[in-house]
Amino acid sequence: MAATLTAEPGGLRVEVVMREVRAAAVVCLALAAVSALAGVAWAYLAPAEQLLVVEPDRGTALTGESVHRFDALAIFVLIGIVLGVLGTVAAWRWRRVRGPVLLTGILLGSAVGAFLTKVVGEAVAEQRHVRPSHPPIHTIVEFAPSVEGWAALIAQPLAAAVVILLLAALSTADDLGTGEYLPFGGTRPEPAVIAPPHYGSAILYGPYPGNSAAPQPLAPRGPVVPFEVPEPDAGR
């Protein structure tokens, strides 16, 4: 029975590495562009906060309006999670370039995309909810929604990292289905079939034609006792 082993893998291939880098750059730019468009959607979905002007350049929030600051933040986080999940799943469909380079592009694009969502969204919201410089007293003005704090920006790259970790864990192929055995363009090792040596035996079979060695008789281990067959009974 032959045993199948693997030969030593070859070196890195520059064309494969460049292909993966180009794919990661495309994924990064695509995620950033889609996230910028998502910022426009956030500006229309996030509610503005209404305030009543009680003194010159001073106002107080109306009843229930202060919760809109949390609503704007929650909508931003949910949009980031959706972008992280859908963007990672779409990039994972690019089977040929799966690997650490693509993972870097996804995480970088998600981080840049979350920043663009905040910047573009707040800029569009400021244009939608323009307030006067010196509003008169007893009037209601609107404050444009904003993303308070930078912790919300990790929602999109964190969701992308979790999804790609699950997809890699659920993959049934060692090479993630890319056809490349090693990352960064490493070549797949070629299988080598090695037959085991023939096993020797001390038992002699023969004689055979061309075999001059005659079989040796077995030496008895004890006294030889003659065996006599009893004669049949004549009366029966």
Side-chain angles (χ1 to χ4, degrees):
M1 180 179 179
T4 303
L5 304 179
T6 55
E8 291 295 331
L12 302 181
R13 288 182 294 174
V14 178
E15 65 275 8
V16 178
V17 177
M18 295 304 300
R19 181 185 67 198
E20 295 180 355
V21 171
R22 288 193 297 268
V26 171
V27 170
C28 181
L29 294 177
L31 289 176
V34 174
S35 299
L37 295 178
V40 178
W42 174 84
Y44 282 88
L45 293 176
E49 182 181 3
Q50 295 183 347
L51 286 83
L52 176 64
V53 180
V54 294
E55 296 180 5
D57 296 334
R58 294 187 63 182
T60 180
L62 299 177
T63 303
E65 289 294 322
S66 59
V67 299
H68 290 332
R69 299 167 64 182
F70 173 79
D71 296 338
L73 181 61
I75 293 174
F76 180 87
V77 171
L78 291 177
I79 290 177
I81 293 175
V82 171
L83 289 176
V85 173
L86 296 183
T88 303
V89 172
W92 186 260
R93 298 291 299 172
W94 202 341
R95 182 185 300 270
R96 194 180 181 188
V97 294
R98 291 175 183 174
V101 179
L102 180 63
L103 172 61
T104 304
I106 292 175
L107 295 180
L108 182 60
S110 299
V112 174
F115 177 76
L116 290 179
T117 303
K118 171 183 169 61
V119 173
V120 174
E122 290 180 347
V124 175
E126 287 289 344
Q127 297 296 324
R128 293 189 64 245
H129 306 282
V130 180
R131 63 179 184 271
S133 300
H134 301 284
I137 301 177
H138 298 160
T139 57
I140 297 177
V141 296
E142 291 184 345
F143 273 76
S146 61
V147 180
E148 299 180 359
W150 295 92
L153 299 181
I154 67 174
Q156 183 173 347
L158 180 61
V162 172
V163 171
I164 201 168
L165 177 62
L166 293 176
L167 292 175
L170 295 176
S171 179
T172 57
D174 294 337
D175 56 0
L176 301 179
T178 60
E180 302 291 339
Y181 186 78
L182 298 176
F184 305 108
T187 57
R188 182 190 296 272
E190 297 294 336
V193 179
I194 301 177
H198 296 285
Y199 295 98
S201 176
I203 302 177
L204 297 177
Y205 300 92
Y208 297 103
N211 187 5
S212 59
Q216 300 294 330
L218 297 177
R221 297 187 178 181
V224 179
V225 179
F227 179 75
E228 297 181 357
V229 179
E231 295 181 0
D233 192 355
R236 294 184 181 179

